[in-house]
Amino acid sequence: MPLSSVKIPSRSFLRRLLVLPSVAAVAGAARPLSSAAAESRTQKLERIADELLSLTKAEREDYAVLFRLKLDLNLPSGALASPGSAAADAPAAAEEKEKEKEKTAFDIKLDKFDAAAKIKVIKEVRAFTDLGLKEAKELVEKAPVVVKKGVAKEEAEAIAAKLKGVGATVVLE
């Protein structure tokens, strides 16, 4: 449940709750909490609550994950997140995009090609793949199609430049 929908009881309610005898005490099995012990617990809870409220959104998200791990809860990752955590996730999404930009392995996708340059494109595809003439022709005719996967950046750029030079439109993914 999102933190924003959790109703936090008032301090007076918490004090009354802590001063009331425990359930076991009502049954006669234990003594009620002393006033000093209840006050000490109240102060501790207030201090913890104040510290939690002073955390930033990112720190609250980290705390929520840590709390779930400590309690061994299997909740969805956004279950305890605050409604503003989507805004906090924006920098994380930007970091993921940067990591994608810094990829080392690329897929070469043949988007389209000029009909007049079809034979040249087939020859180039055969040059950097181990396909025969028939397989290369079928592959080129299926455009848009990935013609080679997991290629190093430099090699992918070189292949893309060759294909563009013969009249194909190529995308590196």
Side-chain angles (χ1 to χ4, degrees):
M1 146 169 41
L3 288 178
S4 63
S5 66
V6 175
K7 302 255 184 193
I8 300 175
S10 66
R11 288 183 182 180
S12 61
F13 174 76
L14 289 173
R15 283 191 179 116
R16 279 185 276 144
L17 181 68
L18 294 174
V19 173
L20 290 175
S22 66
V23 175
V26 171
R31 296 185 338 221
L33 290 175
S34 71
S35 158
E39 188 62 32
S40 171
R41 289 181 64 189
T42 302
Q43 289 175 350
K44 181 179 178 182
L45 291 175
E46 285 182 18
R47 180 185 53 81
I48 292 170
D50 290 338
E51 287 179 16
L52 288 174
L53 290 173
S54 69
L55 296 176
T56 64
K57 290 179 183 179
E59 290 171 333
R60 282 191 300 245
E61 178 65 26
D62 291 342
Y63 174 76
V65 170
L66 178 65
F67 193 69
R68 284 192 305 267
L69 289 173
K70 291 277 187 176
L71 292 178
D72 196 29
L73 298 175
N74 294 325
L75 298 175
S77 62
L80 294 178
S82 62
S85 68
D89 291 341
E95 289 177 18
E96 288 180 26
K97 287 183 181 180
E98 286 180 27
K99 288 180 183 177
E100 289 177 4
K101 289 180 185 176
E102 298 173 6
K103 291 192 324 185
T104 56
F106 292 88
D107 295 340
I108 303 169
K109 182 179 180 182
L110 176 64
D111 236 6
K112 58 184 176 179
F113 56 91
D114 294 332
K118 182 177 178 180
I119 294 173
K120 293 178 185 176
V121 173
I122 292 171
K123 286 181 181 179
E124 284 300 322
V125 169
R126 285 191 66 205
F128 65 84
T129 61
D130 294 332
L131 299 176
L133 181 61
K134 182 180 177 185
E135 292 86 9
K137 179 181 180 258
E138 289 173 355
L139 184 67
V140 169
E141 289 174 345
K142 290 181 184 177
V145 65
V146 175
V147 292
K148 194 160 185 179
K149 294 183 180 182
V151 182
K153 183 178 181 177
E154 295 80 21
E155 184 182 353
E157 289 173 348
I159 292 170
K162 287 179 184 178
L163 287 171
K164 287 178 183 177
V166 295
T169 304
V170 180
V171 178
L172 296 180
E173 296 179 337

